[in-house]
Amino acid sequence: MLFLLYILLLSLCHRAPAIRLPSNNSKTPFLLRSVCVSLHLISYHLALLFFRRVNSSKASRDSETMATKEDVQDPRIPKIASSIRVIPDFPKPGIMFQDITTLLLDTEAFKDTIDIFVERYKGKGISVVAGVEARGFIFGPPIALAIGAKFVPLRKPKKLPGKVISEEYSLEYGTDKIEMHVGAVEPGERAIIIDDLIATGGTLAAAIRLLERVGVTIAECACVIELPVLKGREKLGETPLFILVTSDAA
Amino acid sequence: MFAAENGLKGDPRLEAISAAIRVVPDFPKKGIMFQDITTLLLDHKAFKHTIDIFVDRYKDMHISLVAGVEARGFMFGPSTALAIGAKFVPLRKPGKLPGKVISESYELEYGHDRLEMHVGAVEPRERVIIIDDLVATGGTLSAAISLMESQGAEVVECACVIGLPEVKGQHKLKGKPLYVLVEPSGLDEF
């Protein structure tokens, strides 16, 4: 809006001959010239202020979710990002698969990944770390152990023995379900949900619904990788999402 | 070999681990007393004891790689790997790992299944341990050992939380040492 105002004022000023050639020889009245120049300067600075505020709020929003502190990126992130391998056309043509197994082969990058999550969640009253099958089982338990929480696996149907509750979610074609043991969590507990990656957000949204149905509060969802182009974040509603690395590949 | 026979006799941690494991009868089918480790994962102290015992055992054995069998091996392997400074390699069901894989088939009660590993994940002469939650017939672990050996790696030991009666008295699996923390929990705890 302010930008449009700036452009409008600018165009108005440019109609006044004063802007083109402000000189003592100009036939334009001095007052008109001064007013135009002042308007020009005021709108310019207002526009600058507006843009700066937008960029910094975007940066600070991004920094909250991108493992940065005070607008400075965590120095461990680039190594973590570079340790992730991209495999084209898996599981089907057109998909650029984000393969975290190479991160697990890099002992420093894997340790750093876990450390970043642990630093974020330790001492925050999180009593449950829920991990989505199967790659959530790789990151969740080390975090749970380090922060003193339970680890709860959220599994594909029929894998968990005994009584379970389940939640359905949509796939590109059809639906799937995730299950959790009855009694694994108690009402009032605070949980984080871990997976390696958020794409469309369908699985994480189902995990949130599953835990909330039994009275658990989800403090945050945490993933190593986000594919923002798939807008998975929007499916999570009020639940915050914490991410280490984003990828444009989808 | 069982941990109690191998330096941890009377260790109270083993009792805590055993007590935390739940038995679910008739799962996945009638007659099977399923050893459910999810209750162990809910017990932070007992879960930590489990990892601590594995870490204490392997931290000075120059292990460079921990392989975990999908999916419950994923719950114990990574924590162990992180604590001993080793890489973690997931051994997965067919079709899950992207890129180039090698695979090994193994027998089930009816039919057979396959275990896959990434090409290049393991290097020749690496010292490896293989982790799973439970060993029954040893079929899956044997396939895992074959995968490692096909890449020239040395399997130092296979480690499991629970060992079924079939393996009691067996110190080796396919010629490799087998280390087990506890025997199956009984139904009376259910």
Side-chain angles (χ1 to χ4, degrees):
Chain A
M1 252 286 269
L2 275 169
F3 180 69
L4 286 172
L5 184 66
Y6 167 62
I7 295 294
L8 183 66
L9 283 166
L10 198 61
S11 61
L12 282 171
C13 288
H14 275 282
R15 283 209 186 94
I19 298 298
R20 270 183 260 131
L21 277 173
S23 73
N24 289 335
N25 292 333
S26 167
K27 291 193 175 89
T28 318
F30 176 75
L31 189 63
L32 181 61
R33 275 205 324 266
S34 308
V35 166
C36 282
V37 170
S38 306
L39 278 174
H40 180 109
L41 286 169
I42 290 166
S43 358
Y44 173 74
H45 283 291
L46 279 173
L48 208 62
L49 203 66
F50 176 66
F51 278 122
R52 208 174 274 150
R53 199 178 299 137
V54 167
N55 284 334
S56 68
S57 72
K58 182 176 183 301
S60 56
R61 178 170 53 84
D62 283 345
S63 71
E64 279 166 27
T65 58
M66 287 279 289
T68 64
K69 285 180 192 176
E70 297 148 14
D71 288 351
V72 176
Q73 193 187 55
D74 189 311
R76 297 170 286 187
I77 296 292
K79 186 164 163 55
I80 291 168
S82 65
S83 72
I84 297 164
R85 175 172 73 155
V86 180
I87 306 270
D89 301 321
F90 184 89
K92 52 184 203 204
I95 298 194
M96 302 293 279
F97 189 86
Q98 302 288 318
D99 181 18
I100 49 92
T101 64
T102 42
L103 187 162
L104 307 174
L105 294 177
D106 182 333
T107 51
E108 199 185 316
F110 187 22
K111 185 181 182 305
D112 285 345
T113 303
I114 300 301
D115 284 350
I116 292 172
F117 288 130
V118 169
E119 286 159 21
R120 186 174 181 85
Y121 299 119
K122 197 166 190 159
K124 301 274 167 61
I126 308 289
S127 57
V128 175
V129 173
V132 180
E133 170 160 18
R135 290 181 288 265
F137 293 177
I138 296 174
F139 297 95
I143 298 167
L145 282 166
I147 70 172
K150 309 189 267 203
F151 177 72
V152 175
L154 305 178
R155 298 209 67 172
K156 301 276 188 213
K158 299 200 178 74
K159 300 290 184 77
L160 291 170
K163 287 206 184 110
V164 297
I165 52 169
S166 65
E167 185 70 34
E168 206 171 72
Y169 60 100
S170 300
L171 297 171
E172 198 180 0
Y173 300 106
T175 60
D176 203 347
K177 273 190 195 171
I178 49 164
E179 294 186 341
M180 178 174 72
H181 266 137
V182 166
V185 295
E186 283 159 42
E189 292 208 80
R190 275 167 57 81
I192 55 167
I193 306 173
I194 302 265
D195 205 354
D196 67 321
L197 180 145
I198 174 172
T200 61
T203 323
L204 278 176
I208 292 169
R209 290 195 299 273
L210 196 58
L211 286 160
E212 286 185 339
R213 267 166 57 192
V214 289
V216 168
T217 307
I218 320 300
E220 198 158 74
C221 287
C223 300
V224 181
I225 308 158
E226 178 187 19
L227 307 179
V229 90
L230 296 177
K231 302 195 176 138
R233 201 179 276 260
E234 290 171 16
K235 283 223 178 71
L236 307 187
E238 297 294 307
T239 306
L241 174 67
F242 178 70
I243 293 296
L244 302 193
V245 170
T246 61
S247 172
D248 294 326
Chain B
M1 75 219 76
F2 281 84
E5 301 152 7
N6 192 36
L8 294 184
K9 189 178 169 71
D11 191 318
R13 293 178 299 178
L14 293 177
E15 206 180 304
I17 291 166
S18 189
I21 296 166
R22 175 173 76 151
V23 182
V24 181
D26 302 323
F27 183 90
K29 52 184 206 213
K30 262 191 122 38
I32 298 192
M33 305 296 276
F34 189 85
Q35 302 290 311
D36 182 17
I37 50 91
T38 64
T39 42
L40 173 65
L41 307 174
L42 295 179
D43 182 335
H44 176 260
K45 277 210 184 90
F47 185 22
K48 189 171 182 309
H49 289 330
T50 308
I51 301 301
D52 285 348
I53 292 172
F54 286 141
V55 169
D56 288 341
R57 182 170 179 81
Y58 297 118
K59 66 179 192 260
D60 296 322
M61 282 197 191
H62 309 288
I63 306 294
S64 59
L65 195 146
V66 174
V69 181
E70 171 163 17
R72 288 183 289 266
F74 292 3
M75 298 179 196
F76 299 96
S79 302
T80 308
L82 282 162
I84 68 174
K87 305 186 278 191
F88 178 72
V89 169
L91 305 179
R92 299 210 65 176
K93 303 279 187 210
K96 299 290 184 76
L97 290 170
K100 287 209 182 106
V101 296
I102 49 168
S103 70
E104 187 74 29
S105 72
Y106 60 98
E107 297 293 313
L108 296 171
E109 195 179 0
Y110 302 109
H112 56 268
D113 204 344
R114 295 185 81 81
L115 204 58
E116 291 186 344
M117 179 172 78
H118 267 139
V119 167
V122 185
E123 283 161 40
R125 290 179 300 285
E126 288 213 72
R127 287 170 57 80
V128 173
I129 56 166
I130 304 170
I131 292 204
D132 205 354
D133 67 321
L134 180 146
V135 54
T137 60
T140 321
L141 282 175
S142 296
I145 292 168
S146 295
L147 279 174
M148 294 301 150
E149 291 185 332
S150 75
Q151 305 298 287
E154 183 197 339
V155 178
V156 173
E157 198 158 81
C158 291
C160 296
V161 181
I162 307 160
L164 292 204
E166 288 100 305
V167 300
K168 196 163 172 112
Q170 234 180 281
H171 291 246
K172 286 186 185 281
L173 187 64
K174 216 177 177 293
K176 299 297 167 188
L178 176 63
Y179 186 72
V180 176
L181 299 192
V182 297
E183 295 185 52
S185 298
L187 186 57
D188 55 1
E189 289 162 72
F190 178 61

